[in-house]
Amino acid sequence: MIWKRDMYISYLADHEDVGRTMFCELFGPLKQLEGEWRAQGASEDEISLEAFGFDSLDYAWAPVNNGIIPLPEREIERTSEYKILMDSYGRKSKLCFASATIPLPMGYPVETPEDWEKIRPRYAFSPDRVNREKLAELRRRRDEGAHIMMDIPGGFDEPRQLMGEENLCVALYEEPEMIEDMLNTFADTALRNLEIVSSVCPVDQLHIHEDMAGKTGPLLGPNMVREFIAPYYRRLIDAARAQGARIFSQDSDGYMVPDIGAFLESGLNCMYPNEPQAGMDIVAIRKVYGKQLSLKGGIDKFALRKDPAAIREELERKLVPSVTKGGCVLGLDHRIPNGVSIENYRYYVNTAREMLGLEPAHPEKHVRMAF
């Protein structure tokens, strides 16, 4: 089923029971799984996930760049195993074909405040950051029921792209003025872009990518979130809410529980993908935070590597009324891992649909719901 914005906002932001639970795939399969499934006899519609009839949203992104002005990417070296390129940030990066879809930076452009001053102009506002020709089309899409989203730089993730995790964590203590200037620069540009977009087409959702945690916890604790990231979020969320936005979502892997309270204070109201292997239990989180926080994902992807009994047990634990009656978009907690058989995946989808009272799967265009 393809959802429209009004129903989606009622379900996710207002936690209303709209008579149906949203069941989807957030990310899709890992790179090597496609070959495994084809060898096991999966159809092309199954490999594309279209056979499974997942719910999705009719949505459109605001035609705006709130981040760095990108440099042209260029390839430096290529072998049968990897390629090395200069990426849009100006970093030398390496992509290993067999195991990755995202290049790994081999260095970073910002080590000192002087380095930041050199790159800062690439974050400054300019009128060409918004494609004004596409705004009328965006408004038409919203009038037809599309959900309108805008991406903003992460308060942790964007400085991390410039500095790397270790240097960023040190800089928060040794160069706090530089980090504050980074976040204020990001916010100043995004706010001006938001004003331009909203003058033509209101935005329904702000989306923020962070990926700031691992299995043992976040790289920034709640005090650091409140000091640095929350003021940045609050500027943007307050402005977007004043223009009518309702959903403020964050993508972060890992164990984020210690920081949930601090992010709620900043105005955030939706988090994903809620990885059980990292201790993120959507049922327990819902019990603590109730309607303050919407959730996406939360079903353990690794249960699908086991047997049907383990898959059913995971679904029985997660598909309970507190998460199926509004406020939760249910799906695997990240990409479908290698080693999940097509038979197990079919069983997972069919069993979940039956337990949720959804109609049997019918072919539907698959749309990632990772936002």
Side-chain angles (χ1 to χ4, degrees):
M1 174 180 167
I2 299 175
W3 294 46
K4 295 294 186 178
R5 62 176 297 276
D6 288 345
M7 183 174 175
Y8 184 70
I9 291 171
S10 294
Y11 178 81
L12 192 62
D14 298 331
H15 295 239
E16 291 183 5
D17 183 352
V18 297
R20 180 187 181 93
T21 303
M22 194 171 207
F23 178 52
C24 69
E25 269 298 351
L26 296 183
F27 294 91
L30 276 177
K31 186 176 180 64
Q32 294 165 318
L33 187 62
E34 182 177 311
E36 293 178 16
W37 279 5
R38 190 170 282 113
Q40 295 166 18
S43 69
E44 292 304 308
D45 279 353
E46 288 178 317
I47 291 168
S48 71
L49 303 184
E50 293 188 3
F52 298 105
F54 286 115
D55 288 347
S56 62
L57 177 65
D58 181 11
Y59 68 89
W61 290 99
V64 59
N65 174 14
N66 285 318
I68 194 168
I69 298 298
L71 297 176
E73 292 190 356
R74 58 186 177 89
E75 191 172 301
I76 298 172
E77 179 184 349
R78 178 183 287 263
T79 72
S80 60
E81 298 178 351
Y82 64 85
K83 70 175 178 179
I84 295 177
L85 64 147
M86 292 296 290
D87 68 13
S88 60
Y89 285 87
R91 307 173 300 194
K92 184 181 285 188
S93 300
K94 184 176 183 178
L95 175 63
C96 296
F97 299 129
S99 59
T101 57
I102 300 174
L104 181 68
M106 301 170 70
Y108 296 92
V110 175
E111 294 183 1
T112 67
E114 291 73 26
D115 294 332
W116 162 242
E117 287 300 321
K118 293 175 184 176
I119 207 168
R120 191 177 190 271
R122 292 173 61 195
Y123 285 95
F125 172 77
S126 60
D128 59 357
R129 283 181 172 272
V130 179
N131 187 329
R132 295 170 188 259
E133 293 181 358
K134 293 185 176 180
L135 285 181
E137 170 66 12
L138 191 73
R139 179 63 198 227
R140 184 187 67 78
R141 293 275 289 112
R142 188 178 192 272
D143 290 344
E144 293 174 349
H147 183 75
I148 307 302
M149 297 185 292
M150 192 171 89
D151 202 28
I152 62 173
F156 180 87
D157 181 64
E158 194 66 19
R160 181 249 306 279
Q161 300 297 337
L162 297 173
M163 305 184 70
E165 291 175 349
E166 183 176 348
N167 289 339
L168 169 57
C169 289
V170 171
L172 287 163
Y173 290 94
E174 296 188 350
E175 300 288 352
E177 296 87 357
M178 178 180 71
I179 305 304
E180 289 174 351
D181 187 56
M182 285 183 178
L183 297 176
N184 284 330
T185 300
F186 304 159
D188 290 344
T189 294
L191 286 169
R192 293 187 69 177
N193 288 336
L194 176 66
E195 183 179 358
I196 294 169
V197 172
S198 298
S199 68
V200 178
C201 178
V203 171
D204 299 308
Q205 177 174 343
L206 292 187
H207 171 260
I208 312 164
H209 180 267
E210 294 292 8
D211 273 1
M212 57 178 286
K215 189 172 183 178
T216 57
L219 290 170
L220 297 188
N223 290 340
M224 298 295 275
V225 169
R226 290 185 174 100
E227 182 176 354
F228 289 97
I229 301 182
Y232 165 66
Y233 275 35
R234 200 173 294 117
R235 286 185 68 192
L236 292 164
I237 290 173
D238 286 352
R241 183 180 285 113
Q243 297 288 346
R246 298 294 311 284
I247 299 173
F248 310 99
S249 64
Q250 181 194 80
D251 173 359
S252 186
D253 300 342
Y255 184 61
M256 288 292 289
V257 166
D259 285 346
I260 290 177
F263 278 117
L264 288 175
E265 293 168 17
S266 76
L268 196 78
N269 63 5
C270 180
M271 299 180 76
Y272 72 95
N274 297 295
E275 297 177 290
Q277 293 292 317
M280 297 293 285
D281 184 329
I282 57 173
V283 177
I285 293 170
R286 172 50 49 87
K287 187 177 295 186
V288 174
Y289 294 102
K291 293 185 177 183
Q292 296 180 76
L293 182 64
S294 299
L295 302 166
K296 298 175 73 172
I299 299 174
D300 187 0
K301 57 188 174 289
F302 292 116
L304 274 63
R305 281 181 170 173
K306 300 175 183 177
D307 57 22
I311 296 170
R312 177 172 284 276
E313 181 181 358
E314 171 66 7
L315 292 173
E316 288 175 345
R317 285 200 321 108
K318 299 295 171 63
L319 305 189
V320 296
S322 63
V323 301
T324 61
K325 299 299 183 182
C328 287
V329 174
L330 292 167
L332 296 184
D333 61 296
H334 215 286
R335 290 188 180 272
I336 311 163
N338 301 334
V340 172
S341 70
I342 187 60
E343 284 297 328
N344 274 9
Y345 192 76
R346 290 168 184 154
Y347 179 82
Y348 155 70
V349 173
N350 292 334
T351 304
R353 296 186 75 90
E354 179 183 346
M355 292 174 65
L356 292 170
L358 302 178
E359 69 279 1
H362 59 278
E364 185 83 71
K365 182 179 179 182
H366 174 247
V367 177
R368 282 170 45 118
M369 289 292 293
F371 49 73

